[in-house]
Amino acid sequence: MLSAISIRNIVLIDQLDLMLDRGMTALTGETGAGKSILLDSLSLALGGRGDASLVRKGCPQGQVVATLHLPSDHHVRDLMRENEIEDDEEIMLRRVQYADGRTRGFVNDQPVSAKFMRQLGEQLIEIHGQHDDRALVDPSTHRTLLDSFGDCQSALSKVSAAFKALGVAQDALNRQEAKLAKAQEDEDFARHVIAELGALNTEVGEEETLAATRQRLMSLEKAADEVRDADQVLNGPNAASSGLAGLMRQLMRKGEAEGGLFAPLVESLDATLIALDRSSEALEEIKRQMDFDPLELERTEERLFALRAAARKHQISCDELPALLNKYEQAIAELEQGGDDLTALRAALDAARVNYQTAARGLSEKRAMAGKKLMQAVEAELPDLKLGQARFIVDHQIDDSRESGNGFDVIEFHVQTNPGTHPGPMMKVASGGELSRFLLALKVVLADKGSAPVLIFDEIDTGVGGAVADAIGKRLARLSSKVQVLSVTHAPQVAARAATHLLIEKQVIAEGSLTRTHVAELDDKSRREEVARMLAGSTITDEARAAAHRLIDEVSA
């Protein structure tokens, strides 16, 4: 419920602190006293459009604070927590309007955007008048109201879940189709790469091994000349060993004749020949180590250069070539398997669509039954509101090709004001007075389903007679047993049924230099006098007072 309104420096209101109670509250007063200012101020606190002209003349800023009490499980509290707004026992909406046109909004003293404030306000308080253009125009609101009236939430949840699953299935199919289309575009190239890299048949680390082998073979090739020169010196035709061996044999023969004269030289030559033999053996070992196929270096280089060329072509390293081959082999495998996967995904999508259509048809049937009951319930209220010849119509269009989280249905509330006329949307067909009465009948029927906890009716009784005004008062009183009702009214029949009566009046102070709006709660005596004024006009007669007493006593009985 709306428990308090505090206003500072808004138009004619310099300072106002208004406490409100449950049930029905009537707000009355002379025309121009400031009732519209009070509602404009409240709209500002609910996130309505700001305007510099709202600030009281000579003040830098104005402010409106609306304080509400809600049950701990009210969905508005969930919305606050989702937006990290502190959830206190009281919910306080505060809006500051600056004289330069700027506004600032706060919820529980935490700054919020005007958009969030409006989103919150729309779920807390509804303001309706003769020219209301929100709930009765928006078809999505009508569908929501019908679902609340017909307890369709469970069926709606099934449709929403089925629609979500349908979207998931469609996305999976779309991704697979796009993947296959791309794979088909790249198929020729992929097969070429597979043939090329398959023939190459490389392994991770092969480049490093080939490079090392090439380096070794190149080193051996460079050493071949030195080995040939050494072999020529040690083993060639002019090798020193042959001459030294012959010299040693000659000296050995002469040494026996000369009594061992050449023995030391023979020993030295023998040692030299032994050393030359060891050098030849070492050279032979080197030659054995260098014994390789002359084509091996060529083959090694061809393989190494082929790997590196393939790597450059694909702009990767040689070690990444096996992974690239695997990638394209997998792409071809997926392409070949893709047809089967596509068939399975299409079957899954078809099943999801059947499931969605079944759920949506069930919701449509439930809405159709709810629509009939809602039409009957609203039309039952119309005769007392002097709309006995009018009809209320739930226009229910079903388009089973339409897929949405809300089902197949397009719901819009239509009316027919007189027999023989064409029914149509309320805003187009009903006059201002008729529209407000249709709205009231609808709100009475939907009072405990899908309604904001606070309903404000702004002069919906304007231009109606006593019997209609009395019917309006009865229905507002009925509404107030389920939600808090505030009614700005000129009808004594409406004011008489209120649990609380507030008088809005204009006061001239400071010797006529300042005008302000004042709001006062009336006691029983003052209330009877105000109802008498509403009955009689500017001059209150004893007859008017007697009529006011009778009216209040009758509705209170």
Side-chain angles (χ1 to χ4, degrees):
M1 60 167 282
L2 177 64
S3 59
I5 304 173
S6 178
I7 304 174
R8 297 290 185 273
N9 299 320
I10 297 292
V11 193
L12 296 179
I13 302 175
D14 58 346
Q15 180 174 325
L16 175 64
D17 294 302
L18 190 61
M19 305 302 294
L20 298 170
D21 207 343
R22 299 180 185 278
M24 177 179 170
T25 298
L27 295 91
T28 66
E30 297 282 359
T31 299
K35 297 186 293 296
S36 62
I37 297 173
L38 190 62
L39 293 185
D40 287 345
S41 300
L42 186 56
S43 295
L44 186 66
L46 299 177
R49 184 176 181 180
D51 193 322
S53 64
L54 290 173
V55 180
R56 187 175 174 82
K57 186 177 180 180
C59 298
Q61 66 183 53
Q63 175 177 280
V64 183
V65 179
T67 305
L68 297 101
H69 286 84
L70 294 178
S72 59
D73 60 349
H74 196 279
H75 65 273
V76 163
R77 296 189 182 276
D78 295 331
L79 181 61
M80 291 173 61
R81 285 189 286 268
E82 288 171 7
N83 287 271
E84 299 181 349
I85 303 298
E86 185 176 348
D87 182 16
D88 295 333
E89 183 178 350
E90 291 183 338
I91 296 177
M92 187 172 67
L93 309 180
R94 178 164 65 94
R95 190 86 177 278
V96 180
Q97 172 69 64
Y98 295 94
D100 62 4
R102 294 179 299 116
T103 66
R104 291 194 67 192
F106 302 85
V107 176
N108 288 352
D109 284 330
Q110 293 176 257
V112 297
S113 67
K115 180 180 179 181
F116 175 74
M117 205 165 200
R118 185 162 54 253
Q119 182 183 5
L120 204 64
E122 287 174 351
Q123 299 182 55
L124 292 172
I125 299 176
E126 293 181 17
I127 300 178
H128 299 285
Q130 285 200 32
H131 304 291
D132 179 86
D133 61 356
R134 293 183 302 167
L136 297 183
V137 175
D138 186 359
S140 66
T141 303
H142 298 169
R143 184 180 59 241
T144 301
L145 291 172
L146 182 64
D147 287 345
S148 295
F149 176 79
D151 294 325
C152 299
Q153 285 79 6
S154 177
L156 179 60
S157 295
K158 291 180 181 178
V159 170
S160 179
F163 179 71
K164 184 177 180 180
L166 180 62
V168 170
Q170 184 68 66
D171 288 344
L173 177 61
N174 291 344
R175 286 195 301 272
Q176 182 65 12
E177 286 178 338
K179 188 175 180 180
L180 284 180
K182 183 67 169 60
Q184 288 168 346
E185 289 177 4
D186 299 340
E187 181 179 6
D188 289 343
F189 179 71
R191 293 191 183 279
H192 171 73
V193 172
I194 290 171
E196 175 191 15
L197 298 184
L200 200 58
N201 192 29
T202 184
E203 297 178 354
V204 175
E206 185 177 2
E207 180 195 22
E208 183 178 355
T209 301
L210 288 171
T213 300
R214 176 174 179 259
Q215 185 62 44
R216 179 177 62 81
L217 293 176
M218 288 175 64
S219 298
L220 291 176
E221 188 177 54
K222 288 178 181 179
D225 291 340
E226 284 76 10
V227 170
R228 280 192 293 271
D229 290 345
D231 190 46
Q232 186 69 25
V233 170
L234 292 175
N235 302 312
N238 299 318
S241 57
S242 298
L244 292 175
L247 178 60
M248 187 181 73
R249 287 193 297 272
Q250 181 181 349
L251 292 175
M252 287 176 66
R253 285 194 298 271
K254 290 183 177 182
E256 295 175 358
E258 301 294 334
L261 176 66
F262 296 107
L265 180 56
V266 169
E267 289 179 3
S268 177
L269 288 173
D270 185 55
T272 300
L273 287 171
I274 292 172
L276 287 174
D277 286 342
R278 284 200 295 269
S279 296
S280 294
E281 290 175 358
L283 181 60
E284 289 301 319
E285 180 61 27
I286 290 173
K287 288 167 68 177
R288 281 194 298 273
Q289 290 179 10
M290 292 180 62
D291 185 20
F292 66 95
D293 185 351
L295 297 177
E296 184 179 359
L297 177 60
E298 182 180 348
R299 289 194 298 268
T300 299
E301 287 184 334
E302 287 179 355
R303 176 69 175 173
L304 179 62
F305 295 158
L307 294 184
R308 288 176 173 173
R312 282 195 304 273
K313 177 179 178 181
H314 297 286
Q315 298 182 338
I316 58 176
S317 69
C318 290
D319 283 348
E320 292 175 299
L321 290 173
L324 182 65
L325 173 61
N326 181 66
K327 171 188 171 182
Y328 282 106
E329 286 177 338
Q330 187 175 354
I332 293 299
E334 289 178 353
L335 180 60
E336 294 170 350
Q337 175 64 30
D340 294 339
D341 292 343
L342 208 58
T343 300
L345 289 171
R346 284 172 178 158
L349 178 61
D350 290 342
R353 180 164 283 112
V354 169
N355 186 49
Y356 168 78
Q357 291 172 343
T358 300
R361 278 193 291 270
L363 178 59
S364 292
E365 292 171 1
K366 200 167 181 62
R367 282 172 172 164
M369 291 187 291
K372 292 178 181 177
K373 291 180 181 178
L374 181 60
M375 286 190 290
Q376 293 171 354
V378 172
E379 290 185 353
E381 300 290 334
L382 298 182
D384 286 348
L385 296 171
K386 300 306 178 187
L387 292 170
Q389 298 299 310
R391 291 183 59 218
F392 175 79
I393 302 163
V394 176
D395 185 54
H396 184 186
Q397 302 295 326
I398 300 175
D399 179 4
D400 56 11
S401 66
R402 178 177 181 267
E403 293 177 348
S404 76
N406 296 312
F408 296 147
D409 313 294
V410 177
I411 307 292
E412 189 168 357
F413 296 159
H414 288 180
V415 296
Q416 182 185 39
T417 54
N418 294 291
T421 60
H422 290 290
M426 290 190 191
M427 285 295 292
K428 293 183 179 179
V429 173
S431 66
E434 291 170 336
L435 178 62
S436 63
R437 283 178 278 160
F438 275 116
L439 171 62
L440 178 59
L442 188 59
K443 279 298 175 185
V444 168
V445 172
L446 299 173
D448 57 347
K449 295 179 182 291
S451 177
V454 182
L455 300 179
I456 299 177
F457 293 90
D458 183 17
E459 299 185 355
I460 65 168
D461 46 52
T462 298
V464 300
V468 176
D470 185 57
I472 291 174
K474 288 179 181 178
R475 279 150 183 80
L476 291 176
R478 281 168 53 193
L479 267 177
S480 68
S481 66
K482 296 178 179 177
V483 295
Q484 185 183 21
V485 173
L486 279 72
S487 176
V488 177
T489 181
H490 288 289
Q493 296 87 348
V494 174
R497 292 185 180 274
T500 304
H501 192 146
L502 301 178
L503 176 63
I504 302 174
E505 55 186 351
K506 189 183 296 182
Q507 294 180 338
V508 179
I509 59 176
E511 298 181 353
S513 63
L514 186 63
T515 303
R516 71 179 184 184
T517 294
H518 177 69
V519 181
E521 183 176 346
L522 302 181
D523 59 19
D524 183 66
K525 180 179 178 181
S526 300
R527 179 188 182 198
R528 291 172 184 270
E529 190 72 5
E530 171 62 9
V531 172
R533 181 199 65 77
M534 298 171 74
L535 285 166
S538 58
T539 302
I540 304 176
T541 63
D542 290 338
E543 289 80 3
R545 289 188 177 93
H549 286 303
R550 286 196 301 272
L551 179 59
I552 292 175
D553 291 339
E554 285 175 3
V555 299
S556 301

